[in-house]
Amino acid sequence: MAHFGTTKSGENVAQITLSAGDLTVNILTFGAIVQDVRLAGVPQGLALGSELLSDYEETMGYFGAIVGPIANRISNARVRLNGMMYELERNENGAVHLHSGSEGVHAKVWKIVSATDDSVTLGLHLADGVAGLPGQRDIRVTYQISAPATLTMTIEGTTDTATCMNFASHIYWNLDGAETWEGHHLQIAADHYLPIDAATSPTGEIAEVSGTAMDFRKSLIPQVGAPALDHNFCLTGGKGPLRDVLWLAGGSGVSMKMATTEAGVQIHDAATSHRPGRPCYEGLVIEPQAWPDTPNHRGFGSITVTADHPYRQVTSWQFSV
């Protein structure tokens, strides 16, 4: 464990290094960020990050972080719970609520609950009203490495009253260390996806991928910008037990297989986000999650959690050469 930096508000941020088998991962207490992923024998890191805390506070707010308590978009920036309407921050285009706004968990310093050589659990308390939502909420994320090269993330959330939770990992992946993610093979176990409107929010349609540029059921090499990607893919089987749902392979020979318990995965091509001095499209963002804008669409499921029905997500990434 090492001191990584001090936030603008004076909070100390730690860097925790986990290692087992062929995998080494650096975790920051700021945003519960996955800062770096290293596979033995591979010269480049696999996840995009920075050595500067100021980068994460200023221009790299979502890089590697846990986003929530509501990941992705709420199109009208409001949710109804138990007959009450809760107004949320309109932090995208003055109309849309994105990644829980300025009070999202990506911008908070988490506490270290426990740590070993291959595992760390971070905790965060959200008071009633934080991020516009009700409930005294306690969130925990555990990162665990198992040999030969698997990183498993478990997110758990409890509340004392009905509230909304939809967390997601927001890692930017580039398995080649190249200037952009172009040349990667992508495969997703999804027969349907959610079309989006001009504000990048779901239209409400659940569309078949067949015959569209969104059909990644077989391994394909997407081209940068064609199609533009900031879409939720509706994973086969919906929310349930941990199962393999996505495969990513770089031209360098490094491969990643992702499994999750979640009903969806958002794929974002990083067309508008980048690290300082680096181009857009450098990393492909893969966000396991419940479907975005769920409270506004019947048939999208539910992101309501209660004291009796807490939140839980498990996602794993397995790497090989």
Side-chain angles (χ1 to χ4, degrees):
M1 189 182 306
H3 177 70
F4 185 74
T6 304
T7 66
K8 294 175 182 179
S9 61
E11 294 180 275
N12 289 325
V13 174
Q15 179 194 64
I16 304 103
T17 299
L18 309 177
S19 186
D22 295 329
L23 196 63
T24 300
V25 177
N26 286 343
I27 305 295
L28 304 181
T29 53
F30 184 79
I33 285 171
V34 175
Q35 180 212 8
D36 194 23
V37 176
R38 297 279 171 167
L39 186 62
V42 176
Q44 69 274 6
L46 309 181
L48 304 184
S50 175
E51 293 297 325
L52 299 176
L53 179 58
S54 58
D55 285 344
Y56 291 108
E57 288 193 283
E58 294 169 8
T59 60
M60 291 175 56
Y62 302 129
F63 274 71
I66 299 297
V67 290
I70 299 180
N72 216 305
R73 293 168 175 85
I74 299 296
S75 59
N76 59 359
R78 60 171 66 98
V79 295
R80 183 180 296 275
L81 286 164
N82 293 339
M84 294 285 292
M85 187 69 77
Y86 293 88
E87 294 287 338
L88 309 176
E89 182 180 348
R90 299 174 182 269
N91 62 309
E92 187 178 55
N93 301 320
V96 176
H97 183 64
L98 174 65
H99 292 330
S100 292
S102 59
E103 292 189 317
V105 300
H106 69 281
K108 297 186 180 299
V109 178
W110 298 54
K111 303 291 186 183
I112 299 174
V113 177
S114 62
T116 65
D117 289 344
D118 59 9
S119 175
V120 64
T121 297
L122 303 177
L124 185 67
H125 178 73
L126 300 179
D128 183 70
V130 169
L133 295 167
Q136 297 289 342
R137 293 152 287 165
D138 287 291
I139 317 302
R140 288 194 175 192
V141 57
T142 298
Y143 292 108
Q144 169 83 52
I145 297 180
S146 54
T150 298
L151 171 64
T152 300
M153 174 191 74
T154 303
I155 308 174
E156 298 171 300
T158 61
T159 179
D160 63 353
T161 191
T163 191
C164 291
M165 290 187 189
N166 178 21
F167 293 95
S169 166
H170 204 280
I171 300 171
Y172 288 67
W173 297 102
N174 185 324
L175 305 184
D176 293 339
E179 188 172 71
T180 73
W181 52 258
E182 193 163 22
H184 284 62
H185 291 252
L186 176 64
Q187 182 177 356
I188 309 170
D191 295 325
H192 296 83
Y193 78 103
L194 302 182
I196 57 177
D197 60 22
T200 328
S201 296
T203 63
E205 179 186 5
I206 303 172
E208 293 186 1
V209 299
S210 180
T212 76
M214 299 296 171
D215 191 349
F216 291 97
R217 291 175 296 179
K218 294 182 179 179
S219 183
L220 295 174
I221 305 178
Q223 302 300 306
V224 165
L229 287 170
D230 199 355
H231 296 75
N232 177 80
F233 289 79
C234 309
L235 297 172
T236 302
K239 187 171 176 64
L242 188 69
R243 78 283 191 205
D244 297 335
V245 296
L246 183 145
W247 298 260
L248 185 69
S252 62
V254 180
S255 296
M256 179 182 82
K257 177 172 65 177
M258 190 186 84
T260 190
T261 56
E262 296 308 283
V265 60
Q266 185 88 1
I267 305 296
H268 173 43
D269 57 16
T272 58
S273 56
H274 61 90
R275 298 190 291 175
R278 302 295 182 91
C280 293
Y281 298 107
E282 187 186 6
L284 196 64
V285 189
I286 299 171
E287 306 164 65
Q289 58 174 9
W291 295 5
D293 206 23
T294 283
N296 291 313
H297 303 281
R298 291 186 178 183
F300 275 25
S302 173
I303 60 170
T304 300
V305 297
T306 65
D308 295 330
H309 294 90
Y311 177 91
R312 179 177 170 85
Q313 176 191 155
V314 181
T315 294
S316 70
W317 300 269
Q318 181 179 329
F319 302 92
S320 61
V321 179

